[in-house]
Amino acid sequence: WTRPAIASVMTSLDVDVHGVYFIVRRAERAWTTDVLPQSLDTAATLLQQRGYRTMGFQANGNLSAETGFARGFTSYRFSLDAPANEITDAAIKELASTELPFFAYVHYIDPHAPYAPPERVRDAFGKRPDLTEVDERAAKDSMGYLKDFVYTAFGLQAKRNFAAISPEGKNELKLLYDAECRFLDSELARLLDEVERKHPNTLIVIMSDHGEEFWEHGSMGHATTLHAEQVEVPLVIHGPGLSPKAVSDRVSTLDVVPTIVGYLGVGPHPLWQGRD
């Protein structure tokens, strides 16, 4: 899930090394949250030290400035759960006047619960099915349904607050997720068009921090299993001098930052566990 995954991406360190595990944990009589340790270098801190203007555009609540993920960024635009079009707008606006060289980290929350794509995008996937009252509740409060499932699976609550949904209800949640993917695709295309038009000499990396399960192995969402649908993610790297090819080797998200800085001609950090 997001916080430990992005901590690993940005530091090229395993979770057991950087220690970012939980969103909340009980510490004596108080609740605390894991934050990114100040002692660790990140992609942003390293590139900022080398003269890059570093910009973050962020919509995920796990990655706010308070959790340490803004460190090393010249600017860090955080808007909780902002839809993809708002994140793209913010990135395009700042990139229009940025100094070179730059490192931009754009983190979209779509596709992610709550599954709430624009109506026009959802409608492109066909007529809505007739849903039961239980199904409608889950579709309208997909984040609540997801949390209820996960919290029960982990024993954080004794029983489910949501009733089981029908096959039609499950299919509607899948379609809402697909529609969010389509919405993100269109907004990502808009961002990439702008980058390639104004800054063609740019390395572009597209990836995800985690996947999403829709009952393939009896679970849903993420952070619940280590099956492929939750842990395997897309990775696309595009830039000047790179020839089209598919890499058949199994690679890790720990390898992303070492690969980026290798392309830029910057030597690897001695503590990194990933490889170029």
Side-chain angles (χ1 to χ4, degrees):
W1 67 282
T2 296
R3 195 177 302 184
I6 293 298
S8 287
V9 170
M10 288 298 185
T11 64
S12 188
L13 296 173
D14 280 317
V15 179
D16 281 348
V17 178
H18 61 62
V20 180
Y21 297 99
F22 300 109
I23 187 169
V24 291
R25 69 163 84 205
R26 186 86 177 183
E28 296 180 353
R29 298 184 179 181
W31 289 97
T32 64
T33 187
D34 287 353
V35 300
L36 191 65
Q38 286 273 354
S39 59
L40 297 180
D41 284 320
T42 68
T45 61
L46 289 170
L47 291 175
Q48 187 180 56
Q49 291 165 8
R50 285 162 174 77
Y52 282 72
R53 176 173 173 79
T54 53
M55 301 170 286
F57 305 92
Q58 184 57 256
N60 192 302
N62 287 294
L63 306 174
S64 65
E66 290 77 12
T67 59
F69 287 88
R71 190 161 47 86
F73 284 96
T74 310
S75 61
Y76 198 74
R77 313 291 184 189
F78 178 79
S79 182
L80 182 63
D81 293 339
N85 59 301
E86 293 183 14
I87 296 298
T88 293
D89 286 345
I92 287 176
K93 182 178 180 180
E94 189 152 343
L95 284 168
S97 58
T98 193
E99 302 167 0
L100 298 176
F102 69 86
F103 168 66
Y105 167 43
V106 186
H107 190 117
Y108 294 94
I109 193 68
D110 338 58
H112 195 289
Y115 310 132
E119 286 295 319
R120 59 178 174 77
V121 183
R122 166 59 187 88
D123 291 344
F125 283 77
K127 183 178 180 294
R128 293 177 183 271
D130 293 328
L131 298 178
T132 66
E133 185 176 333
V134 171
D135 294 342
E136 286 282 6
R137 182 188 175 205
K140 289 180 179 178
D141 186 13
S142 53
M143 179 63 90
Y145 186 82
L146 173 63
K147 286 182 176 180
D148 184 56
F149 186 96
V150 173
Y151 292 172
T152 306
F154 285 143
L156 299 176
Q157 62 188 40
K159 61 179 183 178
R160 295 287 303 272
N161 295 317
F162 282 75
I165 59 177
S166 69
E168 291 77 17
K170 290 181 177 182
N171 193 53
E172 178 64 11
L173 286 179
K174 292 179 184 179
L175 285 178
L176 291 172
Y177 184 80
D178 286 346
E180 285 211 330
C181 290
R182 173 65 62 84
F183 176 50
L184 172 61
D185 281 350
S186 64
E187 289 303 317
L188 187 57
R190 191 161 65 90
L191 174 63
L192 296 182
D193 284 348
E194 190 74 6
V195 170
E196 297 238 276
R197 185 169 65 86
K198 293 190 174 179
H199 303 292
N201 190 37
T202 300
L203 181 70
I204 297 168
V205 179
I206 303 171
M207 61 171 294
S208 179
D209 47 356
H210 58 74
E212 198 86 334
E213 181 178 350
F214 286 94
W215 302 280
E216 289 89 346
H217 288 89
S219 186
M220 71 168 296
H222 51 277
T224 55
T225 79
L226 295 177
H227 286 297
E229 55 270 11
Q230 293 198 32
V231 300
E232 291 188 355
V233 296
L235 176 61
V236 179
I237 302 177
H238 170 77
L242 297 181
S243 301
K245 66 177 180 179
V247 176
S248 58
D249 294 346
R250 180 171 293 276
V251 298
S252 163
T253 49
L254 299 186
D255 301 328
V256 172
V257 167
T259 301
I260 291 172
V261 300
Y263 178 88
L264 299 175
V266 178
H269 192 282
L271 296 182
W272 282 351
Q273 293 176 295
R275 62 190 174 91
D276 179 353

